[in-house]
Amino acid sequence: MAQPALATTTDLSLDPSSPAARATLRAQAHAMLDDMLDYSENIRERQVWQVILPEIRANFQSPIPTQPSALAEVHQQFMTSILPFTAANTHPGFMGWAQGGGSQVGMLAGMLTAGLNANVGGRDQIPLEVERQVTAWMRDLFHFPAEASGIFLTGTSIANLLAVVIARDARLGPGIRQTGLTSPTLISYTSSAAHNSIAKALDLAGLGTGTLRLIPTDPAGRMDLAVLDQAIQQDRAAGLTPFFIAATAGTVDIGAIDDLESIADLCAQHNLWFHVDGALGALAMLAPGLAPRLKGIERADTLAFDFHKWAQVPYDAGFLLVRDAQLHQQAFASPACYLARENRGLAANSPWPCDLGPELSRSFRALKVWMTLKVQGTDAIGAVIQNTCNLAQSLATRIRNTPELELLAPVQLNIVCFRYRFTDQSETDVSHLNRELVIRLQESGIVVPSATTLASRVAIRAAIVNHRTTQSEIDDLVEATLSLGRELQPTPHPVSWPPTLQLEAELLQLSHQLPATLDPADEIALRVQRAILLAQLGRPLEARSDHLRVLELDPTHHANLLELGRLLAGTGQTKAAQVVYTEAVKHYPHDAVAHVNLGSTLLTNDDPSKASHHYELALQLSPGLPEAHGGLYYALTRLGDPDAAALHRQKAFGRKNIFQTPFRGTAHPIPVILLVSSTGGNTPVEKLLDDTIFQTWVIVADFYDPQTPLPPHQLIFNGIGDVEVASEALIAARTLLAQISRPILNLPSAVLATSRPENAARLAALPSVRTARTRSYPLTFLAGDHALPTLATDGFTFPLLLRLPGFHMGQHFTQVDEPSALAAHIAALPTFGHADAEVLAIEYLDARGSDGCARKYRVMFIAGELYPLHLAISPNWKIHYFSADMADRPDHRAEEAAFLSDMSTVLGPRAMSALASIQKTLGLDYAGIDFGLNLAGDLLLFEANATMVVEQPSPDPRWDYRRTAVDRIHAAVRHMLLNSAT
């Protein structure tokens, strides 16, 4: 009996069929694309993350739909119920779990991939060639052999699994795929800091997690190679079969890179498979400044890494590179009749990706990587990678300079682990509080770090991966951590200082008013007031945020421009302050204060001519303004007009010679007097006087009337350090302090004895100290006919050094190699308008070592103790840290690191004894010494005085080894100040 015919419908396509429906879809598609472009372009205006509301979750608990909905309606649900509630790793404030930020190019590539809907498990299609091209690019990048193979996967976790399987089959032979594991017991090794996907891979590969040896790490977080070698030998002696080492290029917790070269040697020695998990750090190969740290990665048998992290490719895009393509294919190729290959047709083009991994159904992941690399270029991606590491170093510096925060691990790449120092709490409680702090940071929507545990201590972990992240987000993280950490502190220190209490109350009132403000004019007024209060309370980043918001609402607001400029200048951002003050002068040309402030930033930015112009305009608008006269004094001095400068100096400081700096503490301040000179030569010790502890009165000693009682104080710090330019002020300070009973740091009489000629004479008698013969001559005399005979009579030979007094860092400092060159060198030295200008003749001391390089050590003297600060090594005679080639010489940095960590061993007993004698002779509480060593171990004295500054090096990770020494000196100064004042 015939079967009834089945009914068929010719129009069951899920694509729209009518012209109207297609037009509607196309319009909706454009709207959806615009929405996503708007989302990424305006991402900073959104919270990083927000708590998912119960009603939002409820939207995703409905039964499966049987009837259609309009695409526009579903898209709207996406916009309201999905897009706002993702983890938002696209946001520049997202710093959790080492996730990349994606890119607009990658998003568009994802759209093309979905449109193609290509299954790239195999077959003769161009998507396979795209994947093969990316594989070839990666072979070249990591210097793998031409026969190496590669495959795209979801991520490094799966790539690690494939690597274990390939290594297993390479050791046991392809027959293991049929027989399964019987024996022997294969042993693997990895760092205790490695990702847990290594253990999972061994589990899934049938080898068992019990066969994995977790090797402890060294202080830098790298696998301890001595313990690793010992473990291999012990396992082999026990009859086991070591076969696999998984090194890490960027550990998940702190970003440490194992010693890949040495591990490669160890693998070669013991015939072990060398695998590298480079999920986090392998693509540092794209950054020239970071690539050398990966030396040895080119020797790996397998290398796993992610494009969806540092390469900013949208998820997911993992990759496995395999040195031996034959072993790779041997582990996964599996014949099947439905996968038969041909020489022609769609079944050609073998081998296929399904022969290199477990997946037959595979998306076209390679397209978004290929497009990202083609559109952006590896140079731009490498610059992004380097910048994330620079930002990490910047964050580490902020943490080191913030007493409430503690850095918990060295910063090697782009991961920073730190915590809030909760006081008077047990370690367990501190960990609980920091874990809660991470949650509150996430819930704040400002920034999203994650948490991890290092040596039983919970850390706030910031992984800076996103190409959109800037210094602004780093600052937000620090400020939010401090703000929320203070809220969590179980026993907060109560505010007891009435002025601060008043400011806090006013700030609270303004903050309550702001959310309810709708009128822009009211918002502007409130934000300017709040910014000023925040700056007074020592919260500059929050103040800056309010100022910038006002700048958006009213770019010409008078008070906002002046206060923002002041804030920027006070935090060292003088270029930005100059821009703001330029705007203030443009819009308010009759404001004398705006002209003075612009002049000051111009002077700081080394433009005395333009600075003097604005100071003069300020005096036209407000005759007698002390700040304008003071600025003109410094500007005209640098322009070589000493007579006019002296007139303005008198008008500036004769009228105003005492200044009170802001106090931002919560308890009663410790009053301190800081003495300075109007002529310069001051050591910037005000940076060391914490304005949350000390209330500082700055007194210009050479203009202060000694008959006028000093302000109440518990300590006096003489900040006048250079006798060669400030002798008048030092003499005045000595007179001023003659009858003072309070503690005085750096007595003026002690500083007066530290000129170069006097130091050369009095310190020469100390054992193991060699000083340079030094004498001052009128510059006009050395330009005359009697110069050479006089120099010879005074004991000088050539080469001879000439230096203008009062200048540092190599400025106006020259070497005269032979007598005939003296006149030319003298003529090249400026007089700055002084007819009686002096010049120092200094004996040349040869501080070169056996390698031909000169070495200049700097040691600080703090309260009678010695602290190493730095060592500069250079082939040039004029050796300064900023001009030496330390950045380009790892061997020189290693030598400096040894000096900083073990000064006494590096210098030897003769030099250490000499340093102690010099410190005692100088009699200064705060001072520094620059010196070299001769081959006999004697100390060659270059300079010893109170002018030397101690500052943290730049954020470049090459200088990480120097930061501890600087921190140690800053701590010693704080300790000295507190001990002296209380």
Side-chain angles (χ1 to χ4, degrees):
M1 182 175 178
Q3 296 293 325
L6 296 175
T8 61
T9 302
T10 59
D11 191 16
L12 285 180
S13 171
L14 298 177
D15 295 330
S17 56
S18 70
R22 287 195 292 268
T24 299
L25 177 68
R26 186 177 292 268
Q28 183 60 37
H30 283 296
M32 294 166 76
L33 179 58
D34 285 341
D35 280 343
M36 292 314 297
L37 290 173
D38 288 344
Y39 170 73
S40 61
E41 289 172 5
N42 303 314
I43 189 70
R44 279 187 169 82
E45 297 176 9
R46 294 178 172 270
Q47 290 182 297
V48 184
W49 179 80
Q50 57 181 314
V51 176
I52 302 173
L53 303 173
E55 55 268 32
I56 297 295
R57 291 189 192 275
N59 290 338
F60 301 94
Q61 296 170 2
S62 57
I64 186 170
T66 59
Q67 299 303 310
S69 300
L71 177 57
E73 294 177 4
V74 178
H75 176 223
Q76 184 59 32
Q77 185 177 9
F78 168 82
M79 294 299 294
T80 58
S81 298
I82 295 177
L83 183 143
F85 297 99
T86 65
N89 50 301
T90 53
H91 197 291
F94 186 94
M95 304 176 195
W97 299 282
Q99 298 181 15
S103 72
Q104 293 179 332
V105 168
M107 178 187 73
L108 297 174
M111 179 187 70
L112 298 180
T113 298
L116 284 177
N117 191 35
N119 179 357
V120 292
R123 300 165 190 87
D124 192 8
Q125 54 177 321
I126 282 297
L128 268 65
E129 301 306 324
V130 174
E131 184 160 339
R132 287 167 181 163
Q133 181 172 53
V134 176
T135 299
W137 288 344
M138 293 304 102
R139 278 198 303 260
D140 293 344
L141 176 64
F142 292 104
H143 306 294
F144 267 51
E147 60 272 16
S149 57
I151 185 169
F152 275 92
L153 300 156
T154 58
T156 295
S157 294
I158 296 301
N160 286 337
L161 170 60
L162 267 63
V164 169
V165 171
I166 297 168
R168 180 200 68 186
D169 293 4
R171 174 54 63 99
L172 299 179
I176 189 66
R177 296 179 63 187
Q178 285 77 43
T179 63
L181 286 172
T182 53
S183 64
T185 302
L186 300 181
I187 304 300
S188 303
Y189 307 85
T190 195
S191 159
S192 59
H195 196 274
N196 70 347
S197 61
I198 299 294
K200 283 186 178 181
L202 293 167
D203 176 13
L204 294 171
L207 300 175
T209 58
T211 64
L212 178 62
R213 306 289 187 256
L214 296 179
I215 306 302
T217 59
D218 64 15
R222 302 169 301 187
M223 187 156 35
D224 190 315
L225 299 186
V227 176
L228 172 61
D229 190 31
Q230 184 180 20
I232 294 169
Q233 296 185 46
Q234 288 175 345
D235 283 330
R236 184 159 283 149
L240 303 174
T241 305
F243 94 109
F244 181 90
I245 297 178
T248 304
T251 56
V252 63
D253 280 326
I254 68 171
I257 299 174
D258 286 334
D259 185 344
L260 304 180
E261 183 80 354
S262 296
I263 294 174
D265 291 340
L266 203 59
C267 287
Q269 176 188 342
H270 292 287
N271 190 29
L272 306 181
W273 190 273
F274 178 29
H275 174 66
V276 175
D277 178 343
L280 180 71
L283 287 179
M285 287 292 287
L286 295 174
L290 301 173
R293 303 187 196 182
L294 296 172
K295 182 174 174 54
I297 200 169
E298 71 282 357
R299 298 171 61 186
D301 293 302
T302 42
L303 168 61
F305 60 95
D306 290 328
F307 289 107
H308 54 232
K309 289 186 172 68
W310 256 344
Q312 312 300 325
V313 173
Y315 278 82
D316 51 46
F319 196 80
L320 179 68
L321 194 59
V322 183
R323 176 173 296 277
D324 190 325
Q326 184 175 349
L327 291 177
H328 188 181
Q329 189 171 346
Q330 169 186 290
F332 294 104
S334 183
C337 60
Y338 52 85
L339 295 177
R341 312 301 160 82
E342 305 292 345
N343 292 327
R344 296 169 43 239
L346 193 53
N349 199 22
S350 187
W352 294 349
C354 64
D355 300 324
L356 304 177
E359 295 176 302
L360 180 57
S361 299
R362 301 175 70 246
S363 68
F364 189 8
R365 295 187 184 99
L367 182 64
K368 55 193 173 185
V369 175
W370 180 83
M371 286 191 70
T372 297
L373 295 175
K374 291 278 286 185
V375 173
Q376 308 293 358
T378 56
D379 287 353
I381 297 171
V384 165
I385 290 169
Q386 182 65 65
N387 186 58
T388 62
C389 294
N390 293 347
L391 288 172
Q393 290 299 329
S394 174
L395 173 57
T397 298
R398 286 287 314 273
I399 293 165
R400 291 188 188 96
N401 293 336
T402 305
E404 291 170 81
L405 303 179
E406 177 184 7
L407 196 63
L408 294 183
V411 178
Q412 302 182 53
L413 288 175
N414 59 332
I415 295 179
V416 182
C417 291
F418 66 106
R419 67 176 180 174
Y420 188 90
R421 296 179 190 267
F422 290 100
T423 57
D424 303 321
Q425 304 296 307
S426 68
E427 274 295 328
T428 300
D429 288 340
V430 169
S431 285
H432 286 320
L433 288 165
N434 273 284
R435 194 175 294 280
E436 174 64 21
L437 178 52
V438 168
I439 294 171
R440 293 196 184 189
L441 285 166
Q442 294 167 355
E443 291 176 340
S444 74
I446 300 171
V447 286
V448 168
S450 54
T452 190
T453 302
L454 302 174
S456 301
R457 299 184 297 179
V458 170
I460 303 169
R461 177 178 175 273
I464 305 163
V465 186
N466 196 323
H467 60 102
R468 303 179 183 95
T469 303
T470 66
Q471 186 64 47
S472 177
E473 283 75 37
I474 300 301
D475 294 341
D476 289 344
L477 172 62
V478 173
E479 291 303 315
T481 301
L482 291 172
S483 177
L484 294 172
R486 289 162 184 161
E487 289 181 8
L488 274 171
Q489 173 65 47
T491 54
H493 298 295
V495 177
S496 58
W497 180 236
T500 302
L501 281 170
Q502 179 62 33
L503 292 176
E504 293 279 12
E506 293 176 20
L507 179 63
L508 184 62
Q509 183 179 5
L510 286 173
S511 298
H512 285 158
Q513 289 177 291
L514 260 173
T517 301
L518 298 177
D519 182 80
D522 291 340
E523 181 182 355
I524 288 171
L526 290 171
R527 285 193 181 276
V528 170
Q529 292 179 57
R530 189 169 73 168
I532 294 171
L533 287 174
L534 287 166
Q536 290 174 328
L537 289 167
R539 294 156 66 176
L541 295 174
E542 295 170 78
R544 185 191 65 176
S545 179
D546 273 339
H547 281 308
L548 294 179
R549 173 58 180 159
V550 173
L551 207 59
E552 293 175 9
L553 296 171
D554 182 359
T556 67
H557 191 280
H558 189 188
N560 190 61
L561 289 172
L562 292 179
E563 295 298 333
L564 175 58
R566 185 175 292 115
L567 181 74
L568 293 169
T571 54
Q573 301 173 73
T574 54
K575 291 289 187 183
Q578 181 178 322
V579 172
V580 172
Y581 284 138
T582 299
E583 286 296 301
V585 165
K586 181 174 74 174
H587 295 292
Y588 305 99
H590 301 296
D591 184 343
V593 172
H595 282 286
V596 167
N597 292 348
L598 177 55
S600 297
T601 56
L602 286 165
L603 193 61
T604 302
N605 295 330
D606 204 25
D607 194 345
S609 179
K610 287 184 179 178
S612 64
H613 169 70
H614 285 282
Y615 289 133
E616 288 166 353
L617 288 175
L619 288 175
Q620 291 174 20
L621 294 166
S622 179
L625 187 63
E627 291 81 2
H629 283 296
L632 264 175
Y633 161 63
Y634 293 115
L636 292 172
T637 297
R638 289 167 63 175
L639 291 170
D641 190 350
D643 295 335
L647 176 65
H648 287 289
R649 174 182 170 226
Q650 181 64 43
K651 290 181 177 179
F653 301 108
R655 299 175 183 178
K656 188 175 182 181
N657 46 56
I658 182 168
F659 310 86
Q660 186 179 24
T661 63
F663 175 70
R664 299 184 173 93
T666 57
H668 284 262
I670 298 174
V672 173
I673 289 175
L674 174 63
L675 298 181
V676 299
S677 166
S678 68
T679 58
N682 302 307
T683 306
V685 293
E686 66 273 8
K687 296 179 180 179
L688 304 173
L689 290 165
D690 188 337
D691 61 10
T692 66
I693 299 173
F694 301 103
Q695 171 70 75
T696 305
W697 291 91
V698 180
I699 290 179
V700 184
D702 40 338
F703 279 91
Y704 191 80
D705 183 356
Q707 302 303 315
T708 302
L710 293 172
H713 60 277
Q714 292 176 230
L715 173 68
I716 296 176
F717 198 138
N718 172 36
I720 310 168
D722 193 341
V723 61
E724 292 171 359
V725 296
S727 59
E728 178 186 340
L730 284 166
I731 293 169
R734 183 175 59 187
T735 301
L736 182 64
L737 304 180
Q739 305 300 321
I740 297 298
S741 59
R742 293 288 190 180
I744 302 169
L745 297 178
N746 276 10
L747 286 169
S749 56
V751 178
L752 277 165
T754 59
S755 69
R756 283 183 172 84
E758 188 162 349
N759 273 344
R762 65 177 177 147
L763 300 179
L766 298 178
S768 303
V769 175
R770 173 78 191 281
T771 65
R773 184 188 306 274
T774 305
R775 184 165 177 175
S776 180
Y777 296 93
L779 194 146
T780 52
F781 174 78
L782 288 185
D785 296 336
H786 300 290
L788 289 173
T790 302
L791 288 170
T793 301
D794 291 342
F796 288 103
T797 58
F798 290 83
L800 175 70
L801 306 182
L802 298 177
R803 185 170 201 159
L804 291 187
F807 289 93
H808 300 275
M809 302 181 72
Q811 193 175 19
H812 308 310
F813 186 26
T814 185
Q815 176 176 293
V816 186
D817 291 323
E818 53 189 27
S820 60
L822 178 63
H825 281 273
I826 290 294
L829 291 173
T831 64
F832 297 101
H834 293 280
D836 56 348
E838 295 276 316
V839 63
L840 293 173
I842 305 172
E843 176 188 3
Y844 170 71
L845 296 180
D846 191 348
R848 290 175 295 181
S850 57
D851 60 355
C853 287
R855 284 159 174 78
K856 186 173 78 171
Y857 302 86
R858 177 167 290 184
V859 171
M860 299 301 296
F861 301 147
I862 311 296
E865 300 293 331
L866 308 180
Y867 296 89
L869 178 56
H870 65 231
L871 162 63
I873 306 172
S874 173
N876 299 317
W877 71 269
K878 189 196 294 189
I879 177 170
H880 292 88
Y881 202 93
F882 69 91
S883 61
D885 60 351
M886 300 294 289
D888 301 321
R889 292 292 300 267
D891 54 332
H892 287 175
R893 296 198 302 274
E895 185 176 340
E896 182 186 27
F899 165 64
L900 296 177
S901 62
D902 192 2
M903 174 175 62
S904 58
T905 298
V906 170
L907 296 182
R910 287 166 65 90
M912 290 300 295
S913 176
L915 283 173
S917 298
I918 292 171
Q919 192 278 329
K920 184 177 180 180
T921 303
L922 292 178
L924 293 169
D925 305 283
Y926 176 95
I929 176 173
D930 286 344
F931 63 94
L933 298 175
N934 63 18
L935 296 179
D938 292 327
L939 187 147
L940 306 179
L941 178 67
F942 300 143
E943 186 175 6
N945 55 46
T947 66
M948 298 181 188
V949 184
V950 181
E951 293 182 338
Q952 282 287 2
S954 71
D956 190 320
R958 285 176 293 187
W959 308 125
D960 283 351
Y961 66 92
R962 292 177 54 201
R963 303 184 200 285
T964 300
V966 174
D967 288 340
R968 191 182 301 122
I969 295 170
H970 285 168
V973 173
R974 285 194 295 270
H975 184 72
M976 174 183 69
L977 290 168
L978 289 171
N979 276 0
S980 301
T982 56

Coordinates of all heavy atoms in Angstrom, one line a residue, residues 524 527-528 531 543 546-552 554-565 580:
I524 N 28.6 72.7 39.6 CA 30.0 73.3 39.5 C 30.4 73.9 40.8 O 31.6 73.7 41.2 CB 29.9 74.4 38.4 CG1 29.8 73.7 37.0 CG2 31.2 75.2 38.4 CD1 29.6 74.6 35.9
R527 N 31.2 71.2 43.4 CA 32.4 70.4 43.1 C 33.7 71.2 43.2 O 34.7 70.6 43.7 CB 32.3 69.8 41.6 CG 31.4 68.7 41.5 CD 31.5 68.0 40.2 NE 30.6 66.9 40.0 CZ 30.8 65.7 40.5 NH1 31.9 65.4 41.2 NH2 29.8 64.7 40.3
V528 N 33.7 72.5 42.9 CA 34.9 73.3 43.2 C 35.2 73.4 44.6 O 36.3 73.2 45.1 CB 34.7 74.7 42.5 CG1 35.8 75.6 43.0 CG2 34.7 74.6 41.0
A531 N 36.5 70.0 45.8 CA 37.9 69.7 45.3 C 38.9 70.5 46.2 O 39.9 69.9 46.5 CB 38.0 70.2 43.8
A543 N 40.4 65.1 44.5 CA 40.2 66.5 44.1 C 40.3 66.7 42.6 O 39.5 67.4 42.0 CB 41.3 67.3 44.8
D546 N 37.1 65.9 40.8 CA 36.1 66.9 40.8 C 36.5 68.1 39.9 O 35.6 68.6 39.1 CB 35.9 67.4 42.2 CG 34.9 66.6 43.0 OD1 34.0 66.0 42.3 OD2 34.9 66.6 44.2
H547 N 37.8 68.5 39.9 CA 38.2 69.5 39.0 C 38.0 69.2 37.5 O 37.5 70.1 36.8 CB 39.7 69.8 39.2 CG 40.0 70.7 40.5 ND1 39.4 71.9 40.7 CD2 40.9 70.5 41.5 CE1 39.8 72.4 41.8 NE2 40.7 71.5 42.3
L548 N 38.3 68.0 37.2 CA 38.1 67.6 35.8 C 36.6 67.6 35.4 O 36.3 67.9 34.2 CB 38.8 66.2 35.5 CG 40.3 66.2 35.7 CD1 40.8 64.8 35.4 CD2 41.0 67.2 34.7
R549 N 35.8 67.2 36.3 CA 34.3 67.2 36.0 C 33.9 68.6 35.8 O 33.1 68.9 34.8 CB 33.6 66.6 37.2 CG 32.0 66.7 37.1 CD 31.5 66.1 35.8 NE 30.0 66.2 35.7 CZ 29.3 66.1 34.6 NH1 30.0 65.9 33.5 NH2 28.0 66.2 34.6
V550 N 34.4 69.6 36.6 CA 34.0 71.0 36.4 C 34.6 71.5 35.1 O 33.9 72.2 34.3 CB 34.5 71.8 37.6 CG1 34.3 73.3 37.3 CG2 33.9 71.4 38.9
L551 N 35.7 71.0 34.7 CA 36.3 71.4 33.4 C 35.5 71.0 32.3 O 35.4 71.7 31.3 CB 37.7 70.8 33.3 CG 38.8 71.5 32.4 CD1 39.0 72.9 32.9 CD2 40.1 70.7 32.4
E552 N 34.8 69.8 32.4 CA 33.9 69.4 31.4 C 32.6 70.3 31.3 O 32.1 70.6 30.2 CB 33.4 67.9 31.7 CG 34.5 66.9 31.5 CD 34.0 65.5 31.9 OE1 32.8 65.4 32.1 OE2 34.8 64.6 32.1
D554 N 32.3 73.5 32.6 CA 32.6 74.9 32.3 C 34.2 75.0 32.2 O 34.9 75.2 33.2 CB 32.1 75.8 33.4 CG 32.4 77.2 33.2 OD1 33.0 77.6 32.1 OD2 32.0 78.1 34.0
P555 N 34.7 74.9 30.9 CA 36.1 74.9 30.7 C 36.8 76.2 31.1 O 38.0 76.2 31.3 CB 36.3 74.7 29.2 CG 35.0 74.1 28.8 CD 34.0 74.6 29.7
T556 N 36.1 77.3 31.4 CA 36.7 78.6 31.7 C 36.4 79.0 33.1 O 36.7 80.1 33.5 CB 36.1 79.6 30.7 OG1 34.7 79.9 31.0 CG2 36.3 79.2 29.3
H557 N 35.9 78.1 34.0 CA 35.6 78.5 35.4 C 36.9 79.0 36.1 O 37.9 78.3 36.1 CB 35.0 77.3 36.1 CG 34.4 77.7 37.4 ND1 35.2 77.9 38.6 CD2 33.2 77.9 37.8 CE1 34.4 78.2 39.6 NE2 33.2 78.2 39.2
H558 N 36.8 80.2 36.6 CA 38.0 80.9 37.1 C 38.7 80.1 38.2 O 39.9 79.7 38.1 CB 37.6 82.3 37.5 CG 38.8 83.2 37.9 ND1 38.7 84.4 38.4 CD2 40.1 83.0 37.7 CE1 39.9 85.0 38.6 NE2 40.8 84.1 38.2
A559 N 38.0 79.9 39.3 CA 38.5 79.3 40.5 C 39.0 77.9 40.2 O 40.0 77.4 40.7 CB 37.5 79.3 41.6
N560 N 38.2 77.2 39.3 CA 38.6 75.8 39.0 C 39.9 75.7 38.3 O 40.8 74.9 38.6 CB 37.5 75.1 38.2 CG 37.7 73.7 38.0 OD1 37.7 72.9 39.0 ND2 37.9 73.2 36.8
L561 N 40.2 76.6 37.4 CA 41.4 76.6 36.6 C 42.6 76.9 37.6 O 43.6 76.2 37.5 CB 41.4 77.7 35.5 CG 40.5 77.4 34.3 CD1 40.4 78.6 33.4 CD2 41.0 76.2 33.5
L562 N 42.4 77.9 38.5 CA 43.5 78.2 39.4 C 43.8 77.1 40.4 O 45.0 76.7 40.6 CB 43.2 79.5 40.2 CG 43.2 80.8 39.3 CD1 42.8 82.0 40.2 CD2 44.5 81.0 38.7
E563 N 42.7 76.5 40.9 CA 42.9 75.4 41.9 C 43.4 74.1 41.2 O 44.2 73.4 41.8 CB 41.6 75.2 42.7 CG 41.1 76.3 43.5 CD 42.1 76.7 44.6 OE1 42.9 75.8 45.1 OE2 42.2 77.8 45.1
L564 N 42.9 73.8 40.0 CA 43.4 72.6 39.3 C 44.9 72.8 39.0 O 45.7 71.9 39.1 CB 42.6 72.4 38.1 CG 43.1 71.2 37.2 CD1 43.1 69.9 37.9 CD2 42.2 71.1 35.9
G565 N 45.3 74.0 38.5 CA 46.7 74.2 38.2 C 47.5 74.1 39.5 O 48.6 73.5 39.4
V580 N 47.0 74.4 32.1 CA 45.9 74.9 32.8 C 46.0 76.4 33.1 O 45.1 77.2 32.9 CB 45.6 74.1 34.1 CG1 44.5 74.8 34.9 CG2 45.3 72.7 33.8

